[in-house]
Amino acid sequence: MTKNMKYFPMIHKDKTAKRLELLMKWNHLQPKDLQIYLGLACVQTVYRWIEGINIPSVDHLYALSRLFQVNIDDMLVGNGNIVSTSVQHKTAFRFMMYYTQLKDAA
């Protein structure tokens, strides 16, 4: 590694968990609904995602992105730059993050 490389992009599990939870809330879905949709053996897997213990696999992220109608990149929160190709998605996620910050501050 070079000295200029300070870090590489990483996913924040806790912030991604909050985003997943918010997407579930906006879509009126419960952890059990995701378990059924994804064909998971137990609902505990989903609870681990929304508690920030684990993150969904790539396959599950893909399926969830279709369910929530968002890009996978829009579901993940990391320390890299946010990449969204749609102006509509950018606006929606700015609103979502603003709302989340207001809610957390209250």
Side-chain angles (χ1 to χ4, degrees):
M1 284 208 182
T2 65
K3 290 183 180 182
N4 293 337
M5 187 177 281
K6 295 181 182 180
Y7 67 92
F8 60 93
M10 294 179 62
I11 297 170
H12 293 291
K13 289 182 188 177
D14 55 337
K15 292 179 182 179
T16 297
K18 288 181 182 181
R19 185 163 293 174
L20 178 59
E21 190 172 25
L22 190 57
L23 286 166
M24 288 171 58
K25 182 184 272 187
W26 281 10
N27 288 277
H28 308 287
L29 295 170
Q30 299 297 316
K32 184 71 174 172
D33 299 320
L34 295 188
Q35 176 201 3
I36 293 167
Y37 174 73
L38 297 170
L40 300 171
C42 66
V43 73
Q44 192 62 34
T45 301
V46 179
Y47 282 113
R48 287 186 188 114
W49 297 341
I50 59 178
E51 291 170 2
I53 297 169
N54 295 327
I55 58 171
S57 69
V58 173
D59 288 335
H60 290 146
L61 285 170
Y62 178 74
L64 291 171
S65 74
R66 297 299 187 194
L67 177 65
F68 297 138
Q69 298 179 0
V70 298
N71 295 324
I72 292 176
D73 284 339
D74 292 333
M75 293 174 53
L76 300 171
V77 179
N79 62 353
N81 294 332
I82 295 174
V83 178
S84 180
T85 57
S86 166
V87 172
Q88 183 180 9
H89 280 123
K90 286 181 183 179
T91 303
F93 275 96
R94 278 194 194 131
F95 174 77
M96 182 173 70
M97 296 316 301
Y98 179 71
Y99 171 80
T100 303
Q101 290 172 352
L102 286 176
K103 182 181 160 194
D104 290 346

Coordinates of all heavy atoms in Angstrom, one line a residue, residues 1 16 23 31-32 34 40 60 63 68-69 72-73 77 79 85 96 98 102-103 106:
M1 N 0.8 -1.2 0.0 CA 0.0 0.0 0.0 C 0.9 1.2 0.0 O 1.9 1.2 0.6 CB -0.9 0.0 1.2 CG -2.0 -0.9 1.2 SD -3.3 -0.1 2.2 CE -4.5 -1.3 2.1
T16 N -26.3 1.9 7.7 CA -27.0 1.1 6.7 C -28.2 0.5 7.4 O -29.3 0.4 6.8 CB -26.1 0.1 6.1 OG1 -25.0 0.7 5.4 CG2 -26.8 -0.8 5.1
L23 N -36.4 2.4 5.1 CA -37.0 1.9 3.9 C -38.2 0.9 4.2 O -39.2 1.0 3.5 CB -36.0 1.2 3.0 CG -35.0 2.2 2.3 CD1 -33.8 1.4 1.7 CD2 -35.7 3.0 1.2
P31 N -40.1 -7.0 9.6 CA -39.0 -8.0 9.4 C -39.6 -9.3 8.9 O -39.0 -9.9 8.0 CB -38.4 -8.2 10.8 CG -38.6 -6.8 11.4 CD -40.0 -6.4 10.9
K32 N -40.7 -9.7 9.3 CA -41.3 -11.0 8.9 C -41.6 -11.0 7.4 O -41.5 -12.0 6.7 CB -42.6 -11.3 9.7 CG -43.2 -12.6 9.4 CD -42.4 -13.8 9.9 CE -43.1 -15.1 9.7 NZ -42.3 -16.2 10.0
L34 N -39.9 -9.3 5.1 CA -38.7 -9.5 4.4 C -38.2 -10.9 4.4 O -37.7 -11.5 3.5 CB -37.6 -8.6 5.0 CG -37.8 -7.1 4.8 CD1 -36.5 -6.3 5.2 CD2 -38.2 -6.7 3.4
L40 N -36.0 -16.5 3.7 CA -35.0 -16.8 4.8 C -35.6 -17.8 5.8 O -36.8 -17.9 6.0 CB -34.7 -15.5 5.6 CG -34.1 -14.4 4.7 CD1 -34.0 -13.1 5.5 CD2 -32.7 -14.8 4.2
H60 N -29.2 -10.6 -1.5 CA -30.3 -10.0 -0.7 C -30.4 -8.5 -1.0 O -31.5 -8.0 -1.0 CB -30.2 -10.3 0.8 CG -30.4 -11.8 1.1 ND1 -29.7 -12.4 2.1 CD2 -31.2 -12.7 0.5 CE1 -30.1 -13.7 2.1 NE2 -31.0 -13.9 1.2
A63 N -32.2 -8.1 -4.3 CA -33.7 -8.4 -4.1 C -34.4 -7.2 -3.4 O -35.4 -6.8 -3.7 CB -33.9 -9.7 -3.4
F68 N -37.8 -2.3 -2.7 CA -37.9 -0.9 -2.3 C -37.8 0.0 -3.5 O -38.0 1.2 -3.3 CB -36.8 -0.6 -1.3 CG -36.9 -1.4 0.0 CD1 -35.7 -1.8 0.5 CD2 -38.1 -1.6 0.6 CE1 -35.7 -2.5 1.7 CE2 -38.1 -2.3 1.8 CZ -36.9 -2.8 2.4
Q69 N -37.5 -0.5 -4.7 CA -37.4 0.3 -5.9 C -36.3 1.4 -5.8 O -36.6 2.6 -6.1 CB -38.7 0.9 -6.3 CG -39.7 -0.2 -6.6 CD -41.1 0.4 -7.0 OE1 -41.3 1.6 -7.1 NE2 -42.0 -0.5 -7.3
I72 N -29.0 -0.3 -5.2 CA -28.3 -0.9 -4.1 C -27.4 0.2 -3.4 O -27.4 0.2 -2.2 CB -27.4 -2.1 -4.6 CG1 -28.3 -3.2 -5.0 CG2 -26.5 -2.5 -3.5 CD1 -27.5 -4.4 -5.6
D73 N -26.7 1.0 -4.2 CA -25.9 2.1 -3.6 C -26.7 3.0 -2.7 O -26.1 3.5 -1.7 CB -25.2 2.9 -4.7 CG -24.0 2.2 -5.3 OD1 -23.5 1.2 -4.7 OD2 -23.6 2.5 -6.4
V77 N -24.8 2.8 3.3 CA -24.2 4.0 3.8 C -22.7 3.6 4.1 O -22.4 2.7 4.8 CB -24.8 4.5 5.1 CG1 -24.1 5.8 5.6 CG2 -26.3 4.8 4.9
N79 N -18.3 5.2 3.9 CA -17.5 6.4 4.1 C -17.0 6.9 2.7 O -16.2 7.9 2.7 CB -16.3 6.1 5.0 CG -15.4 5.0 4.4 OD1 -15.7 4.3 3.4 ND2 -14.3 4.7 5.0
T85 N -27.5 7.7 -9.7 CA -27.6 8.2 -11.1 C -28.9 9.0 -11.3 O -29.0 9.7 -12.3 CB -27.5 7.0 -12.0 OG1 -28.6 6.1 -11.7 CG2 -26.2 6.3 -11.9
M96 N -34.8 11.9 2.9 CA -34.8 10.9 3.9 C -33.7 11.1 4.9 O -34.0 10.9 6.1 CB -34.6 9.5 3.2 CG -34.6 8.3 4.1 SD -34.5 6.7 3.3 CE -32.9 6.7 2.7
Y98 N -32.3 14.0 5.8 CA -32.7 15.2 6.5 C -33.8 14.8 7.6 O -33.7 15.2 8.8 CB -33.3 16.2 5.6 CG -33.7 17.5 6.3 CD1 -32.8 18.4 6.9 CD2 -35.1 17.8 6.4 CE1 -33.2 19.5 7.5 CE2 -35.5 19.0 7.0 CZ -34.6 19.8 7.6 OH -35.0 21.0 8.2
L102 N -33.4 14.9 11.7 CA -34.3 15.7 12.6 C -34.9 14.7 13.6 O -35.1 15.1 14.8 CB -35.5 16.3 11.7 CG -35.1 17.5 10.9 CD1 -36.3 17.9 10.0 CD2 -34.7 18.6 11.8
K103 N -35.3 13.5 13.2 CA -35.8 12.5 14.1 C -34.9 12.2 15.2 O -35.2 12.1 16.3 CB -36.3 11.3 13.3 CG -36.9 10.2 14.1 CD -37.3 9.0 13.3 CE -37.5 7.8 14.1 NZ -37.5 6.6 13.3
A106 N -34.4 14.9 17.8 CA -35.6 15.1 18.7 C -35.6 14.2 19.9 O -34.9 13.3 20.1 CB -36.9 14.9 17.9

